Amino acid sequence: MEIPKEIQEIGGKLQEKGFEAYLVGGCVRDFLLGIEPKDWDIATNAKPEEVQKLFPDCVYENQFGTVGVKTDSSDRSLKIVEVTTYRSEGKYTDKRHPDEIKIAESIEEDLARRDFTVNAMALNLNPKPSLAGQATLNPEIVDPYGGQDDLKNRSIRAVGDADERFQEDALRLMRAVRFVAQLDFSLEEKTKAAVKNNSHLLEFISKERVRDEFSKLLLTEKAADGVREMQKLGLLKYVVPELEEGVGMGQNKHHIYTVFEHNVLSLQYAAEKNFTLDLRLASLLHDVGKPRTKRGEGPDSTFHGHQVVGEKMVLKILDRLRYPNDLTEKVALLVREHMFVYDPETVTDAGARRLIRRVGQENIDDLFKLREADRIGSGVPKAQPYRLRHLKFRIEKVSQDPISAKMLKVNGEDVMRAGIQPGPKIGYILAVLLEEVLDDPALNEKDLLNARIQDLAKLDERRLAEMAKFAKKSADEAQTRIEEEIKKKYFVK
Ligand code: ATP
Ligand code: MG
């Protein structure tokens, strides 16, 4: 992997003017791991005013000394490159905001404020003369805390004293677990012990910041391990305490996992399938209502109504975490409906229609995905058995407009305008027209149809009745053919 030329140019320009320029933070970590960084951050000893002067095409919101330098790259991660003046942070008296942000003198001082060793490395963007006499980028790494070793050991370790770092800013507790999941690393022992000791400090952190780290964790491939880790380290009870109620709680004869493990395994499936955040939340929370509805013990215990209790709990949980309303409502809806019946013997067309009405056509696919996650999470091998496919067929069938005279561009009134009195003849003529249009859709034009009505109106009632009977039969056959096609699509009989 190479450092993009836009970054090299910005670094080069700063250094030409006598400033220092380093890549810092997540991009250095990802770069060294061979992962494409999400964004590229530059740290410099140039003051924000000086950076703005050097790069007039920039955005500066006066926040923490970060200037967003615009490039003409088409790559999203390079459109705006953040250039931040070296900072050090003052004391944290409230455990979440440094009392002051000070400009720092050196890159080392800037790295000292960072959370984990793998995030506290810098890469000098200094071009060095090569043997050929040309200046080429020959980056050197500044790594005062052994971040490279920790990358090799796949370890998340706090910079300096772990207890102190978590006490300064307790969001780092969540960040520790999030990076473990995101990078598939493990927590270094002292850091891990410090997370456990300080887990209660998470309470002081704003819900929005916690939510953002929680979402990032859920969106990783190792989301399920991340949630298990949160639980073991005592963080989950400050984020979604409701999930803790299912820890160690056995289910009935239909289940081999505890409520908590089943929720987590459903999330695991959602993560493996790269489902979106709403579905990952729904998978993790779909049985959150079980502990409060459990009746009895052992193989015959029941959880009646857990989806309804679960829906209410989900609304509370996601509101509390300040998730946007539309996402909250969608997750709650999926949780409420996740128990839908899909036995072909039981589900009628009307039942399928009611399900669509309750869930909304736009959410049906996601509801099926949630059910898949639920099934796989319970240890049942097949995600989509015959019965589930059959319901899909049913839903598609009832979602399509059935073949009917409504498809015609004329109606009974047009027929009457041709001089036909109210009575059975009107229906016969429409049936004949429908059959002809099904045969050749190009005939479905008002003028053509009206001309045809004139012809048909001349025929006597008995003849029309016969033609209509034949027409209805072939319309029914067309309807059956359509249904056969949908059946084939879902491999059902
Ligand atoms: P990602 O790839 O997910 O963006 P990242 O490491 O870039 O990971 P950010 O949250 O974007 O994470 O933060 C950028 C850098 O800022 C981090 O690498 C770290 O050095 C520093 N940082 C961010 N938040 C904190 C914090 N709460 N405490 C200390 N340092 C932090
Ligand atoms: Mg980042």
Side-chain angles (χ1 to χ4, degrees):
M1 204 192 316
E2 288 216 355
I3 294 170
K5 71 171 199 317
E6 288 83 354
I7 300 297
Q8 298 195 30
E9 278 166 19
I10 296 172
K13 210 160 167 187
L14 281 161
Q15 302 213 351
E16 252 167 52
K17 298 284 169 186
F19 298 115
E20 298 170 9
Y22 291 89
L23 282 177
V24 279
C27 66
V28 178
R29 176 199 70 218
D30 290 347
F31 182 76
L32 295 176
L33 284 171
I35 302 170
E36 191 74 46
K38 280 202 282 297
D39 36 45
W40 299 84
D41 297 322
I42 295 176
T44 180
N45 59 350
K47 304 285 179 292
E49 307 76 57
E50 294 168 321
V51 176
Q52 285 171 275
K53 222 189 276 165
L54 267 179
F55 305 97
D57 195 11
C58 69
V59 278
Y60 184 52
E61 276 145 18
N62 221 345
Q63 259 204 337
F64 311 119
T66 296
V67 177
V69 174
K70 291 189 185 161
T71 72
D72 48 20
S73 169
S74 56
D75 190 331
R76 256 190 54 205
S77 66
L78 287 168
K79 279 208 157 84
I80 290 187
V81 178
E82 297 200 330
V83 180
T84 307
T85 307
Y86 296 156
R87 276 162 38 188
S88 70
E89 279 161 15
K91 274 206 168 59
Y92 290 69
T93 38
D94 67 352
K95 300 181 180 61
R96 50 176 159 169
H97 298 299
D99 297 340
E100 49 182 344
I101 287 167
K102 285 191 296 208
I103 288 189
E105 295 302 321
S106 65
I107 184 68
E108 286 80 9
E109 224 183 310
D110 183 276
L111 295 177
R113 74 175 165 90
R114 295 177 183 269
D115 47 8
F116 304 109
T117 62
V118 294
N119 290 346
M121 293 183 278
L123 221 145
N124 198 343
L125 287 169
N126 191 13
K128 298 246 170 68
S130 72
L131 288 178
Q134 255 180 328
T136 54
L137 189 75
N138 185 7
E140 74 201 55
I141 298 172
V142 184
D143 180 13
Y145 304 103
Q148 291 174 93
D149 285 340
D150 285 332
L151 278 188
K152 278 200 205 91
N153 301 329
R154 307 183 74 78
S155 179
I156 295 296
R157 178 199 306 267
V159 166
D161 184 88
D163 273 305
E164 278 174 27
R165 305 318 305 277
F166 291 129
Q167 283 158 18
E168 277 171 4
D169 177 4
L171 185 70
R172 293 171 185 159
L173 297 159
M174 280 298 290
R175 288 175 59 83
V177 184
R178 190 258 284 188
F179 285 118
V180 163
Q182 179 174 319
L183 302 169
D184 196 12
F185 277 26
S186 41
L187 269 180
E188 175 272 328
E189 285 310 315
K190 276 190 193 150
T191 305
K192 188 182 213 164
V195 173
K196 272 192 195 156
N197 287 338
N198 295 288
S199 60
H200 61 282
L201 297 178
L202 205 53
E203 224 175 337
F204 296 100
I205 300 302
S206 83
K207 299 295 183 206
E208 288 84 352
R209 293 180 79 204
V210 171
R211 173 204 62 205
D212 287 345
E213 288 296 330
F214 186 52
S215 297
K216 282 186 182 172
L217 179 150
L218 291 181
L219 283 167
T220 66
E221 231 177 277
K222 295 280 170 178
D225 291 336
V227 172
R228 285 193 195 101
E229 194 76 355
M230 281 179 68
Q231 198 275 323
K232 282 193 210 129
L233 297 174
L235 296 176
L236 190 62
K237 59 172 174 285
Y238 299 101
V239 184
V240 192
E242 293 85 350
L243 279 171
E244 291 272 348
E245 296 168 21
V247 174
M249 174 179 275
Q251 304 198 58
N252 53 30
K253 58 182 167 233
H254 305 298
H255 294 268
I256 53 177
Y257 299 116
T258 63
V259 174
F260 179 72
E261 192 52 24
H262 168 58
N263 277 326
V264 169
L265 283 167
S266 302
L267 168 64
Q268 185 165 316
Y269 179 80
E272 278 163 16
K273 289 283 165 179
N274 207 10
F275 287 171
T276 43
L277 181 64
D278 46 5
L279 270 171
R280 292 185 192 218
L281 282 164
S283 301
L284 177 64
L285 297 172
H286 78 280
D287 273 352
V288 75
K290 274 190 166 173
R292 297 188 189 176
T293 53
K294 184 170 184 181
R295 296 290 173 268
E297 267 309 323
D300 293 317
S301 49
T302 63
F303 303 93
H304 294 308
H306 74 273
Q307 68 276 35
V308 183
V309 172
E311 175 195 19
K312 298 222 172 76
M313 291 171 76
V314 167
L315 288 171
K316 265 209 182 126
I317 294 165
L318 299 185
D319 268 349
R320 192 176 63 220
L321 289 170
R322 315 269 196 279
Y323 275 104
N325 282 340
D326 49 350
L327 179 121
T328 299
E329 275 160 26
K330 176 165 174 192
V331 176
L333 173 80
L334 293 175
V335 169
R336 183 186 74 205
E337 298 297 338
H338 82 272
M339 296 293 290
F340 64 88
V341 178
Y342 57 92
D343 177 1
E345 310 284 306
T346 319
V347 182
T348 58
D349 282 357
R353 273 193 207 96
R354 279 195 300 275
L355 181 65
I356 298 172
R357 215 177 310 124
R358 281 203 312 275
V359 179
Q361 187 78 56
E362 69 283 9
N363 295 319
I364 289 279
D365 273 352
D366 284 345
L367 186 66
F368 278 95
K369 285 184 181 158
L370 173 60
R371 188 61 166 258
E372 247 170 68
D374 182 4
R375 287 178 57 80
I376 295 294
S378 64
V380 178
K382 240 160 110 202
Q384 250 202 2
Y386 181 82
R387 299 197 296 174
L388 207 44
R389 294 201 310 272
H390 200 277
L391 180 55
K392 281 190 181 175
F393 150 72
R394 257 290 188 359
I395 284 177
E396 180 158 338
K397 186 182 112 182
V398 303
S399 304
Q400 289 205 338
D401 290 332
I403 289 177
S404 88
K406 287 201 191 87
M407 299 163 93
L408 292 171
K409 294 241 169 86
V410 292
N411 57 27
E413 279 170 40
D414 296 296
V415 181
M416 286 191 278
R417 242 174 271 144
I420 306 283
Q421 297 303 309
K425 263 180 107 172
I426 295 176
Y428 297 155
I429 291 178
L430 288 173
V432 173
L433 293 178
L434 178 63
E435 197 258 336
E436 291 174 358
V437 162
L438 287 175
D439 209 41
D440 180 3
L443 297 178
N444 199 7
E445 291 299 335
K446 240 179 148 62
D447 290 347
L448 296 177
L449 293 170
N450 276 322
R452 183 73 180 127
I453 290 172
Q454 297 289 344
D455 287 345
L456 291 171
K458 290 176 197 140
L459 302 176
D460 67 43
E461 186 169 329
R462 256 190 54 205
R463 174 87 182 101
L464 273 175
E466 248 167 58
M467 286 171 75
K469 198 168 145 199
F470 176 77
K472 266 194 94 147
K473 211 176 123 215
S474 72
D476 285 347
E477 278 165 12
Q479 179 74 46
T480 311
R481 272 200 306 279
I482 291 172
E483 283 173 25
E484 289 305 320
E485 282 307 306
I486 308 176
K487 278 184 182 165
K488 260 193 225 148
K489 186 169 154 193
Y490 293 104
F491 305 102
V492 298
K493 289 206 169 85

